Amino acid sequence: MSAEVIDTVIKVLASRSIKTLDLTGGAPELNVHFRRLVTAARALGVKVIDRCNLTILFEPGQETLADFLAASGVTIVASLPCYSLKNVDEQRGKGTFEKSIKALQQLNALGYGRGGALELSLVYNPLGPSLPPAQAKLEADYKRLLGEQFGITFDHLYTLANMPIQRFGSMLISKGTFAGYMKLLRENHQDANIEAVMCRDTVSVDYNGALYDCDFNQMLGLPAPLPLAIAGKKARLHVSDLLSNDLHNQPIRIADHCYGCTAGQGSSCGGALA
Ligand code: SF4
């Protein structure tokens, strides 16, 4: 994301009184403007969430990252797909679990994940084509096992369903389980989850500044629908359009993958919906 797009994001945060800025990648911390964006957003009173892959803390040049995040009061949400070395290394690569544990211990030492202002939450998603287990029960298991084995504490565990798109979707197709997984999602759809899906109060901005209803639509290249006031004047919405247009109550672009958000206990960037 360029400096120009980031400047526009900062202007939109201020002009729309946006409450939360949720940064994800790849590794958003590697953007050369990351710290400037975080500092500007925090100065506006915006809650900043860094979706951190943990191992980034040990990359060359990132030695001061953890201290910066703590000093800026940034919320950290980190993916840890299991509490066992074997499962994490199988999913994320050899050595990932050990580095993730070391990073979590470092964050705990800075005051993260201890129930105070420095929030540290973990993300779990199933390894295969199944729905996530009950979030509260799994959170209790994670807290007990990570606490007993490594002395780690954290605030929340978010369980996320796997979306039938991108790498996971390709894996399902190659194993011949795509149709079965879609059936599972459809059969477990809960109308009540529609009220809370994240696209109702979140917009997703890509590195060029284009707007989507959510990150999944961004990955699929499905742009946010144009409001009537703009329709015909441009091809797609850009984050700069938020400076002069209110997108409240605009239609949301949906498709079959949305069942990944509405199945079972529901799934969003903040975990289960039910
Ligand atoms: S996948 Fe569909 S239901 Fe889920 S957040 Fe995106 S648009 Fe909303």
Side-chain angles (χ1 to χ4, degrees):
M1 185 175 277
S2 68
E4 191 186 359
V5 173
I6 283 178
D7 287 342
T8 309
V9 168
I10 294 167
K11 281 185 201 152
V12 169
L13 291 174
S15 70
R16 289 279 156 201
S17 303
I18 287 170
K19 302 279 185 291
T20 305
L21 176 68
D22 192 333
L23 301 169
T24 187
E29 305 88 350
L30 293 180
N31 185 300
V32 291
H33 311 292
F34 174 80
R35 297 189 191 201
R36 181 167 69 82
L37 172 59
V38 169
T39 303
R42 295 295 293 141
L44 291 167
V46 174
K47 174 177 179 174
V48 176
I49 300 172
D50 177 27
R51 299 217 170 234
C52 176
N53 70 18
L54 295 177
T55 59
I56 190 75
L57 299 185
F58 306 113
E59 288 298 313
Q62 299 299 322
E63 294 81 3
T64 59
L65 178 61
D67 286 336
F68 168 77
L69 295 172
S72 306
V74 172
T75 292
I76 296 180
V77 177
S79 177
L80 191 70
C82 191
Y83 39 69
S84 95
L85 182 149
K86 183 172 173 292
N87 284 348
V88 173
D89 280 9
E90 259 176 36
Q91 192 175 346
R92 299 285 157 87
K94 198 166 168 6
T96 303
F97 185 75
E98 202 180 320
K99 273 189 187 167
S100 299
I101 293 298
K102 207 172 137 200
L104 290 171
Q105 289 168 333
Q106 183 182 345
L107 293 171
N108 276 168
L110 288 168
Y112 269 103
R114 301 200 177 278
L118 293 177
E119 194 180 318
L120 169 64
S121 294
L122 302 180
V123 170
Y124 163 91
N125 53 313
L127 288 173
S130 57
L131 293 176
Q135 183 168 276
K137 160 86 172 62
L138 191 64
E139 179 181 287
D141 290 346
Y142 260 69
K143 283 190 169 167
R144 181 172 50 80
L145 288 159
L146 290 177
E148 284 172 5
Q149 292 178 27
F150 306 107
I152 287 169
T153 59
F154 63 94
D155 294 297
H156 308 289
L157 177 76
Y158 301 140
T159 56
L160 268 58
N162 284 311
M163 279 288 165
I165 60 172
Q166 300 286 98
R167 201 170 48 167
F168 189 73
S170 303
M171 186 273 287
L172 293 176
I173 290 168
S174 67
K175 292 192 170 175
T177 52
F178 184 84
Y181 187 60
M182 282 308 303
K183 185 167 178 280
L184 177 77
L185 295 180
R186 275 197 202 93
E187 286 178 351
N188 284 280
H189 164 79
Q190 304 291 329
D191 277 350
N193 289 330
I194 295 174
E195 299 301 322
V197 286
M198 60 187 175
C199 48
R200 284 184 172 272
D201 56 12
T202 305
V203 289
S204 171
V205 183
D206 78 4
Y207 71 99
N208 284 317
L211 285 193
Y212 302 80
D213 291 308
C214 70
D215 282 2
F216 306 120
N217 285 7
Q218 182 186 141
M219 290 176 203
L220 289 168
L222 299 172
L226 286 168
L228 280 179
I230 306 179
K233 294 184 188 153
K234 58 192 306 179
R236 59 193 304 171
L237 279 170
H238 187 266
V239 65
S240 56
D241 291 318
L242 290 171
L243 294 169
S244 49
N245 295 277
D246 185 354
L247 294 189
H248 283 115
N249 300 318
Q250 290 301 314
I252 294 166
R253 193 177 298 275
I254 59 168
D256 269 4
H257 63 285
C258 295
Y259 286 111
C261 292
T262 62
Q265 61 188 340
S267 181
S268 76
C269 49
L273 302 173

